[in-house]
Amino acid sequence: MSEMKRSAHVILTSHSQHVFKDSLPIHWGAKNPLERGPIIGSLTDTKKRNAIGTHSGSYAVYRALSIAQGKYSTRHRPDLNNTESPVKIGPFASWHDPDKMVSIDPWGLDVPIHFKKFYDEGYDVRPTIAVTQAHLQIPEIHDAIDAGRLQVDGKIIKENRDIRVTKVAFEPVWYLPGIAKRLNVDEGELRKILFQETGGMFPELVTRPDIKVMLPPIGSTTVYIFGDVQNLSKPEVELTCRVHDECNGSDVFGSDICTCRPYLIYGIEDAARTAQRGGVGLIAYYRKEGRALGEVTKFLVYNARKRQKGGDSAATYFHRTECVAGVEDARFQELMPDILHFFGITKIHNLHSMSNMKYDAIVKSGIEVVNRISIPEDLIPADAQVEIEAKKAAGYFNPGEKKDADQLEKVKGRPIDE
């Protein structure tokens, strides 16, 4: 059991005497990994840490529970043999630009290779990016094949109708000065508010201004690539892309109150079709459930919308969200393009998104967008007409006709008891 536990003595990381010489400096935006330095968020040797927080995002809490039960050794160091990426990615010029990526660590990929020197010196460097390959089995893709919109080619779409993809998982790594700059706020103010709004979870935010990197306890991001990964960085190769924010109810379970799954599947179909004609497709899936307000808040909003006087209406769609949550949308898409810059993307030929927040963030980050593609009308569920008409009226990208105030009042959703 002694292998499972650390000392019972609690040491506050805010103590000034706990600045250790073995804690490596981080030079964000340096030209190579050794000059930049590894991110050490592991806990096997706290004297070597140079980041606030720890690995695995929100799953760090579950690791703590396993340790509390004596089922997980605090001295465990992962055996990373044979875990390297099956495809080569980067480095790109964006990896050397301190402003292009501030919410992920590009050198978090294949850390045993990039930081072998430090591994040999005993540093417990952990990956924050992992790449693998897989097949997707999606019923709607079978329908697209039957309808002739997609073809079985044996390469992108296999003979059994699986789609062959490359998957990339990202844990968040925040460079706090860059985050503050991106959001146009003072770094000190950002650190103070992060400390306050997490219930004082990370005292180093206010007591250790010398630590510039944070591993926040939030969800990760997954990217699915259709076709040759190397083509993502080639502006002459057609790229179809959807940047999608998580919606568990629709994406997984098919809830019809929103357009999330239909739009996601439409993006996947078009990404595969683009790859089949020699281009490349990319779906980025961000864990920002309920516009980053959470699923509990989202369900409360659903109830408020459907119980209000006059029923669920496109005219009050955004207002009811703000009444419950205090804000219409907490996603603030300024950090979203970092994932795209990891792949060296400079041009998107077909962007599947109606969101002006997403489009503006991508373009502002220096990526050219040629075409914007909205969800086809025939894919919109009946109960999601409230959402789609409200978004169109609010200025979301859509070539269709926008309804006036009187018309919006007439767009109604299903009653709560049906």
Side-chain angles (χ1 to χ4, degrees), residues 94-205:
S94 53
W95 292 27
H96 314 143
D97 186 332
D99 295 326
K100 286 295 185 188
M101 285 179 280
V102 297
S103 63
I104 57 172
D105 172 20
W107 300 110
L109 171 67
D110 291 342
V111 291
I113 298 172
H114 295 318
F115 298 111
K116 184 178 184 303
K117 171 182 181 294
F118 295 105
Y119 267 99
D120 293 345
E121 293 175 4
Y123 285 88
D124 185 5
V125 190
R126 306 267 177 113
T128 56
I129 301 173
V131 184
T132 190
Q133 293 180 321
H135 290 189
L136 304 183
Q137 299 179 335
I138 303 173
E140 291 94 332
I141 295 302
H142 290 216
D143 296 339
I145 294 170
D146 290 338
R149 298 193 305 271
L150 287 173
Q151 306 296 322
V152 173
D153 61 356
K155 182 179 178 183
I156 303 300
I157 300 181
K158 308 297 286 184
E159 288 76 7
N160 65 351
R161 300 188 172 194
D162 288 359
I163 307 178
R164 188 172 182 271
V165 296
T166 299
K167 301 195 298 186
V168 188
F170 297 84
E171 286 183 6
V173 178
W174 287 5
Y175 178 58
L176 293 170
I179 296 282
K181 182 178 179 181
R182 186 79 62 84
L183 300 180
N184 195 29
V185 299
D186 176 74
E187 182 191 345
E189 184 70 8
L190 172 66
R191 296 172 77 109
K192 181 184 76 172
I193 293 174
L194 283 171
F195 170 71
Q196 292 172 334
E197 295 303 314
T198 55
M201 188 182 296
F202 302 104
E204 305 100 314
L205 284 166

